[in-house]
Amino acid sequence: MNVIVEREKGLLELEKRIAELRTLNANQPVDLSAEIAALQGKYAQIQREVFGAMSPWQRVNMARHPSRPVAGDYLAALDRFDELHGDRHYRDDPAVIGGFAKLDGRRIMAVGQQRGRDTKENLRRNFGMVTPEGYRKVKRLVLLAVRLGLPVVTFVDTKGADPGIGSEERAQSEAIASCLYAFCSARVPIVATIVGEGGSGGALALAIADRVIMLEHSVYSVASPEGCAAILWGDAGKAEEAASRLKLTSEDLHAFGIIDEIVPEPLGGAHRDAAGLIAATLQRVAVALDGLRALTSSRLLEERYRKYRRIGAWQGRNRETLSAVR
Amino acid sequence: MAMPEWLRRRRSKHENGEEAGTWTKCPKCQEVIYRKDLVENLSVCPRCHYHFRMHAFDRISLIVDNDFAEVGGDILPGDPLEWIDKKSYPQKLAADREKSQLTEGVICGFGTLAGFPIALGVMDFNFRGGTMGTVVGERITILLESARERRLPCIIFTASGGARMEEGMLALMQMAKITSAVTRFMEDGNLFVTVLTDPTTGGVSASFAFQSDVVVAEAKAMIGFAGRRVIEQTIRQKLPENFQTAEFLLEKGHVDMVVERAEMKPALARILDYSLGGHEVAS
Ligand SMILES: [Zn+2]
């Protein structure tokens, strides 16, 4: 069970009470406004307590919230989106959607990992876990964008790449590796936004970018907390502990220089004001694209190279003597 | 050919003769094997042909002619996440340094192979399961950058359980960093060869292992994106024995060739020869 959904239950009850009292207040002579104000005060207080300082594990659950806007919601908010399908080899992967688009008049190639909004859609979209065909579709669209000189805009939201038998048989590793290669060498600007969960290499395959934006309560991690706990301690149940160690929040990643900017979310999470949040995010994307437009493609590639070259580079402070092993 | 003293010193205890008189067991077929016989057979089980996982310096001595100049050996890990679980990350690193006689999960450098000058990277599963952290990323990036400057072919032997959890996202980003270096190296027309050894999975498999011009797999190696255990847990059934083996990948068209350890050096020499080209472009 999603811990945020759990914690929201009491608040939703209160919201209902307040709405009921309001209706009552309007339809009868007794003045209930003092009681309504008290409830509203209580509501605000609880809301601050619940969402004011969320733990990393709560952030993970917020990133997975069933009502959180998904990639498709951002694509739908663009002026235009003309979807392109398929990898030209095997099938069209519903876990990733992409195509030509316009963002406030700017022609772009837009791609997003699409988890479902309910169980039925999740089954069809494989919970946003992309198969090799999906990565090959993305690579195809990126190469097309390069040919036409269109900037690439991605929306990242996946627990990780699909780990199934079919994906292994159809070379999941190669599909991701080729996608990474295409993003690293694309001679057009790339802006990536982590809108939900950024899980491992399956997320990175769409997130090598000149500008990486992250929603405040999105998470981005070397492995899902469950996967990390299973790998290190043989117990996926220790996911909460793993989440607390992995430094997967937007603030952590900003401090490491792995993401460039954070889009603040309304108190209670992105879904509390989806339209406003999506508009604000797309505005950030537009500003980032305009900032990159001035760069020549060779300058763009050089700066992208330097950006990734620096991450985790040895800075001298970790130097130890080698005498122990020589 | 005499092995240089520095290399002899850095090879594993059992291969440089210290443990020659002891016995070991094949993890695949349970055959009890005399160490000396195993070493003479290049650490391949004489009975079932299981290829034992190799120490990086043993591998290097098997591949290079007689020379190897290490690069990036002074790059050592820090503790960016201040990670601690049962042990702290620095304690885990220290234990693996002691156990493996290695400073990190990859050794990089320059040498010659059958007379061909090459850049060579060799990962070692004995150091934190060959996981890729910032040091592995930085060392391989330096190797590719210097190979590009010198216009030399680059061969990397992979052996990895994936990204290193204790370095978090900084570890994952090494996939991006190495890929950046690979694109520049390859786009300049240099030959990139990867040799996938047992096991090659996760972030290494899903980046440079499969970005090369020629993907060689060592016989019987397990190679895949997701680990066998993860897949079995997801689908709740046993996988066939040959799933994700080098031979399975060859059949599926994922790798160029499967090569036995004893044939590895000559096979690589044959590939390197083609990097010399033939068609002279008049300029
Ligand atoms: Zn055996």
Side-chain angles (χ1 to χ4, degrees):
Chain A
M1 189 66 203
N2 189 301
V3 300
I4 294 297
V5 174
E6 278 295 298
R7 304 188 93 189
E8 271 176 349
K9 276 185 183 161
L11 281 171
L12 292 177
E13 279 297 312
L14 266 182
E15 269 177 42
K16 230 167 81 186
R17 270 296 300 286
I18 294 168
E20 280 167 7
L21 281 181
R22 278 208 180 116
T23 322
L24 213 60
N25 202 21
N27 299 334
Q28 63 162 32
V30 191
D31 184 17
L32 295 169
S33 49
E35 201 178 333
I36 293 173
L39 271 183
Q40 276 174 329
K42 194 178 171 199
Y43 179 88
Q45 189 202 336
I46 296 176
Q47 203 184 27
R48 273 195 306 275
E49 277 170 21
V50 171
F51 300 113
M54 289 193 285
S55 73
W57 179 241
Q58 288 162 355
R59 296 282 194 99
V60 169
N61 281 268
M62 182 61 93
R64 294 172 179 173
H65 196 290
S67 307
R68 191 173 179 81
V70 294
D73 298 329
Y74 295 82
L75 297 176
L78 296 165
D79 317 343
R80 254 167 61 176
F81 177 55
D82 292 297
E83 190 172 358
L84 300 171
H85 292 276
D87 69 340
R88 295 283 192 274
H89 293 284
Y90 186 74
R91 66 167 197 140
D92 185 42
D93 185 349
V96 62
I97 46 185
F100 296 123
K102 279 197 179 176
L103 167 58
D104 286 335
R106 300 167 190 81
R107 291 179 199 89
I108 59 170
M109 183 64 80
V111 182
Q113 285 159 327
Q114 177 75 349
R115 68 188 168 96
R117 294 174 187 85
D118 53 41
T119 309
K120 194 175 157 220
E121 195 191 358
N122 256 326
L123 288 175
R124 186 166 83 79
R125 299 200 184 270
N126 196 29
F127 299 85
M129 294 187 294
V130 180
T131 58
E133 299 76 62
Y135 291 113
R136 291 184 179 122
K137 171 162 72 177
V138 173
K139 177 185 159 189
R140 182 172 82 79
L141 297 183
V142 168
L143 296 181
L144 172 57
V146 171
R147 274 191 9 84
L148 301 182
L150 300 173
V152 175
V153 171
T154 69
F155 299 94
V156 177
D157 187 9
T158 184
K159 283 186 197 355
D162 178 67
I165 291 185
S167 289
E168 293 289 330
E169 286 179 338
R170 299 192 301 277
Q172 183 67 291
S173 289
E174 190 277 340
I176 295 171
S178 296
C179 216
L180 294 173
Y181 194 105
F183 276 72
C184 278
S185 53
R187 303 180 72 85
V188 290
I190 306 174
V191 176
T193 306
I194 319 294
V195 297
E197 189 173 10
S200 193
L204 181 67
L206 270 71
I208 293 181
D210 304 299
R211 196 87 189 157
V212 181
I213 301 168
M214 188 164 168
L215 267 58
E216 184 183 358
H217 299 317
S218 289
V219 294
Y220 191 9
S221 175
V222 62
S224 70
E226 291 84 355
C228 172
I231 290 166
L232 285 182
W233 311 312
D235 181 1
K238 291 185 175 160
E240 183 167 0
E241 187 185 341
S244 72
R245 304 202 190 290
L246 280 166
K247 301 261 195 286
L248 43 64
T249 69
S250 55
E251 294 87 350
D252 290 328
L253 298 172
H254 191 259
F256 281 131
I258 287 170
I259 61 156
D260 300 298
E261 58 186 294
I262 300 171
V263 183
E265 294 187 29
L267 193 64
H271 59 289
R272 303 293 298 182
D273 176 21
L277 193 275
I278 289 169
T281 305
L282 293 180
Q283 175 60 28
R284 300 276 194 128
V285 173
V287 170
L289 287 175
D290 292 345
L292 294 164
R293 197 159 53 178
L295 301 179
T296 63
S297 59
S298 50
R299 177 82 193 281
L300 193 68
L301 282 184
E302 180 63 29
E303 295 208 349
R304 194 182 303 154
Y305 188 87
R306 282 191 201 161
K307 169 182 170 162
Y308 287 98
R309 183 70 188 79
R310 267 198 306 271
I311 296 179
W314 175 64
Q315 290 163 354
R317 66 191 158 87
N318 302 324
R319 189 168 200 156
E320 299 168 46
T321 64
L322 275 168
S323 56
V325 290
R326 280 224 169 108
Chain B
M1 213 182 306
M3 195 194 305
E5 175 58 22
W6 68 267
L7 189 52
R8 200 194 61 76
R9 270 191 292 128
R10 295 190 68 173
R11 292 184 67 182
S12 65
K13 286 197 177 80
H14 60 263
E15 290 236 349
N16 70 17
E18 280 177 49
E19 292 174 352
T22 62
W23 297 83
T24 190
K25 205 187 226 178
C26 171
K28 209 83 192 169
C29 75
Q30 314 302 321
E31 175 89 342
V32 176
I33 316 164
Y34 196 46
R35 272 279 185 206
K36 190 163 168 285
D37 293 343
L38 185 62
V39 170
E40 275 167 13
N41 204 36
L42 307 175
S43 293
V44 175
C45 171
R47 185 168 158 210
C48 75
H49 258 221
Y50 171 75
H51 285 52
F52 282 70
R53 289 169 183 172
M54 273 196 118
H55 188 276
F57 280 105
D58 296 340
R59 177 80 71 180
I60 291 167
S61 72
L62 204 65
I63 294 301
V64 300
D65 295 336
N66 200 13
D67 55 331
F68 184 73
E70 189 176 347
V71 293
D74 59 341
I75 296 161
L76 298 169
D79 185 13
L81 268 56
E82 295 173 347
W83 184 282
I84 185 158
D85 45 52
K86 280 164 217 139
K87 282 193 264 176
S88 75
Y89 180 45
Q91 282 172 324
K92 294 184 190 185
L93 291 170
D96 278 18
R97 268 201 298 270
E98 179 65 26
K99 185 185 76 177
S100 66
Q101 297 295 300
L102 292 165
T103 56
E104 252 290 350
V106 70
I107 304 293
C108 294
F110 290 87
T112 56
L113 187 159
F116 297 99
I118 56 160
L120 177 66
V122 178
M123 300 185 80
D124 193 320
F125 195 76
N126 295 301
F127 194 95
R128 303 237 48 78
T131 50
M132 176 161 65
T134 52
V135 174
V136 169
E138 183 72 10
R139 286 185 183 180
I140 291 178
T141 300
I142 287 177
L143 181 75
L144 286 161
E145 285 177 341
S146 0
R148 177 174 177 244
E149 270 170 36
R150 302 196 202 178
R151 305 197 64 81
L152 289 179
C154 181
I155 301 176
I156 299 180
F157 283 75
T158 60
S160 177
R164 191 173 300 168
M165 295 299 135
E166 295 90 342
E167 293 190 20
M169 277 298 287
L170 292 169
L172 189 77
M173 298 318 280
Q174 303 309 305
M175 291 170 76
K177 178 152 107 183
I178 295 176
T179 300
S180 301
V182 166
T183 58
R184 287 195 162 188
F185 175 78
M186 290 180 76
E187 277 161 20
D188 274 9
N190 302 299
L191 175 71
F192 184 31
V193 178
T194 45
V195 183
L196 282 41
T197 74
D198 188 58
T200 295
T201 61
V204 167
S205 174
S207 61
F208 60 96
F210 279 101
Q211 285 166 347
S212 58
D213 297 298
V214 181
V215 183
V216 178
E218 191 170 59
K220 318 255 172 175
M222 297 298 293
I223 300 156
F225 173 67
R228 196 180 171 84
R229 222 172 20 144
V230 174
I231 304 171
E232 285 183 340
Q233 280 166 3
T234 311
I235 62 170
R236 294 171 208 280
Q237 64 187 68
K238 278 292 230 190
L239 290 165
E241 182 70 11
N242 73 333
F243 191 70
Q244 293 184 321
T245 59
E247 294 73 17
F248 175 86
L249 263 62
L250 181 70
E251 187 192 311
K252 293 288 176 193
H254 304 180
V255 300
D256 287 287
M257 57 184 85
V258 174
V259 178
E260 295 266 338
R261 189 168 290 163
E263 294 304 315
M264 191 60 79
K265 187 170 177 176
L268 291 173
R270 291 168 75 96
I271 297 167
L272 286 169
D273 181 59
Y274 295 105
S275 74
L276 300 177
H279 177 67
E280 296 293 329
V281 182
S283 54

